[in-house]
Amino acid sequence: MKKTPAIWKIERVFISALVGFLLFGGNVAYQRNPSVELPSAQSTLKAGSDAPGFELKIIGDHGKTMKLSDLKGKAVLVDFWATYCEPCKVEMPWFADLQKKYGPLGFQVIGISMDDEDMSAATIMGFARKMGVNYPILQGTERVADLYGGIDGLPLSFFIDRSGKIVDSQLGLVDKSVLEDNIKKSLAQGGDPAKTPSGK
Amino acid sequence: MRKTLFVLILTTCAASLLSSAACAQSSSAQTRVTIDPVPAVSVRAGHMTPAQLTFHILPGFHVNSNKPATPELIPTALNFSLPGDLVIAKVQYPAGQLLSFPFDPTQKLSVYSGDVNVKFSVIAQANAGAGSYTVHGELKYQACDNNACYPPKKIPVDFTVSITRGTPGHKYPHN
């Protein structure tokens, strides 16, 4: 069918309207909701990026601190959790098992408690002990939460390889096998191949 | 050629529309609980009058009830900061639903989901001066879905109370 000038005109107007929406409409739609929160920065901590460094107080260890850089050369799982988080309670005994299994290969779990800073060390550590935790629990801060993307949800786990790069992250409860696969990847990357797990 | 260009532009625009919609949806999903404005309350000095806060929990999420199943869980609670002439009393939270969730099917938690009403009474002291007062408060809650929990949040709850000396109301029983 041959297009008449009138059809071309309609087509041009339609295209202009769509392009206009493309440039401005989407933006307006995004701004309409005043309670929009910034996108979770987990998306900015992509696999392959350097894990943000931190130094945090070890809960129940008389003011001692731990730096992420203290674990250089190890594969690290950083688990953000809180006592109010029921799914976190499911994962913590798994992390204790995985620490036992992969610790000798150079793996370390670190728990970072995101409970209110006024919650007592005794309460947090009492809870952690009930969960069978055999790894250090650090006191989270807003600064570290921001560095790791604002921590909008828990549990939030970051898997870090031996060279300090992020291998993967998981928000929410996932199957234990997913955690274990990521630990194996963390152990296998960024370090001495002789120390990597066989995968069996 | 022109037809191909037209199809290309249409496809791009459609993708943009979809992504804008997805963006707006995911943004609003961050606001897991919303509240209805509390209607203005009128109460006679020395009397009390009922009021209610209604809040809505987004489908797929739940919050702890006012009496959660374990002490670690953060209860949903309504707190007010009151002008001297007013008292909030008889705050009645609904009972939570006892539900288990996929993250631990063996445990039942006391939670709210959907629409929730919290009833309370506004009392004007006998010596309260007539006039309009603003009550400031906040609803504290902590939400979870089927596999993650979200940090505790507070939503401001503000409403107006007019204290009069001639309108009806239930006489506040002094003990």
Side-chain angles (χ1 to χ4, degrees):
Chain A
M1 186 182 83
K2 196 172 178 189
K3 287 182 181 172
T4 64
I7 292 178
W8 283 121
K9 197 174 173 188
I10 291 168
E11 195 176 290
R12 270 200 300 274
V13 169
F14 184 62
I15 291 172
S16 305
L18 280 172
V19 170
F21 178 83
L22 186 71
L23 291 173
F24 304 108
N27 199 20
V28 169
Y30 188 72
Q31 288 175 0
R32 197 168 289 155
N33 182 350
S35 61
V36 164
E37 293 176 19
L38 290 173
S40 168
Q42 275 102 60
S43 55
T44 64
L45 291 176
K46 298 269 187 220
S49 61
D50 288 328
F54 56 76
E55 178 171 10
L56 294 172
K57 206 185 282 178
I58 304 172
I59 299 178
D61 203 0
H62 313 291
K64 279 190 195 164
T65 61
M66 179 182 258
K67 292 182 196 168
L68 181 62
S69 57
D70 293 342
L71 301 169
K72 203 175 168 187
K74 288 192 172 193
V76 179
L77 189 167
V78 176
D79 170 44
F80 290 92
W81 68 282
T83 54
Y84 61 75
C85 167
E86 288 290 317
C88 301
K89 284 165 70 174
V90 177
E91 279 192 345
M92 291 168 88
W94 295 349
F95 290 146
D97 285 348
L98 294 164
Q99 176 63 59
K100 213 180 284 177
K101 185 170 176 183
Y102 292 100
L105 294 171
F107 169 67
Q108 183 63 56
V109 183
I110 298 174
I112 298 184
S113 163
M114 296 309 294
D115 285 294
D116 277 351
E117 284 179 32
D118 57 2
M119 183 174 277
S120 75
T123 303
I124 295 172
M125 288 316 293
F127 181 92
R129 270 191 287 271
K130 254 199 311 192
M131 297 298 116
V133 161
N134 55 359
Y135 49 85
I137 299 290
L138 313 183
Q139 178 66 62
T141 61
E142 267 184 47
R143 187 179 139 65
V144 171
D146 287 344
L147 288 172
Y148 278 81
I151 317 292
D152 183 47
L154 300 170
L156 177 62
S157 302
F158 287 89
F159 301 85
I160 301 167
D161 73 14
R162 295 176 188 270
S163 69
K165 294 206 181 301
I166 290 173
V167 172
D168 206 347
S169 63
Q170 295 287 344
L171 170 62
L173 180 65
V174 291
D175 198 81
K176 190 179 178 185
S177 63
V178 175
L179 300 172
E180 191 160 7
D181 286 348
N182 276 321
I183 290 168
K184 286 177 187 170
K185 271 197 261 173
S186 308
L187 283 163
Q189 289 179 24
D192 180 357
K195 290 181 181 171
T196 59
S198 64
K200 287 177 189 169
Chain B
M1 174 68 188
R2 185 141 189 177
K3 195 174 173 185
T4 314
L5 184 69
F6 181 63
V7 168
L8 258 174
I9 290 173
L10 266 184
T11 312
T12 312
C13 291
S16 161
L17 274 169
L18 282 173
S19 87
S20 293
C23 177
Q25 204 164 27
S26 108
S27 301
S28 62
Q30 302 285 338
T31 313
R32 297 166 188 105
V33 175
T34 55
I35 62 167
D36 288 348
V38 178
V41 169
S42 184
V43 60
R44 191 177 168 193
H47 290 66
M48 71 177 172
T49 194
Q52 177 173 291
L53 170 76
T54 300
F55 61 95
H56 311 278
I57 301 158
L58 223 67
F61 293 92
H62 61 269
V63 303
N64 296 311
S65 75
N66 181 249
K67 301 208 184 315
T70 66
E72 298 90 24
L73 299 179
I74 296 170
T76 296
L78 190 54
N79 290 303
F80 294 103
S81 127
L82 292 159
D85 289 341
L86 290 171
V87 174
I88 300 285
K90 299 184 178 177
V91 182
Q92 294 174 308
Y93 296 93
Q97 300 165 271
L98 290 176
L99 298 176
S100 57
F101 293 91
F103 49 76
D104 186 0
T106 62
Q107 191 184 9
K108 286 202 169 178
L109 300 177
S110 173
V111 300
Y112 299 142
S113 55
D115 301 335
V116 183
N117 297 315
V118 180
K119 293 175 179 169
F120 53 94
S121 295
V122 179
I123 299 169
Q125 310 263 23
N127 58 354
S132 182
Y133 298 78
T134 302
V135 172
H136 300 284
E138 59 188 23
L139 177 75
K140 185 176 181 182
Y141 68 91
Q142 188 269 305
C144 296
D145 59 26
N146 280 347
N147 71 344
C149 288
Y150 303 91
K153 299 262 185 205
K154 289 174 182 173
I155 306 180
V157 177
D158 298 336
F159 64 98
T160 307
V161 179
S162 300
I163 300 181
T164 63
R165 292 200 163 264
T167 52
H170 303 289
K171 179 124 176 108
Y172 175 54
H174 295 278
N175 293 324

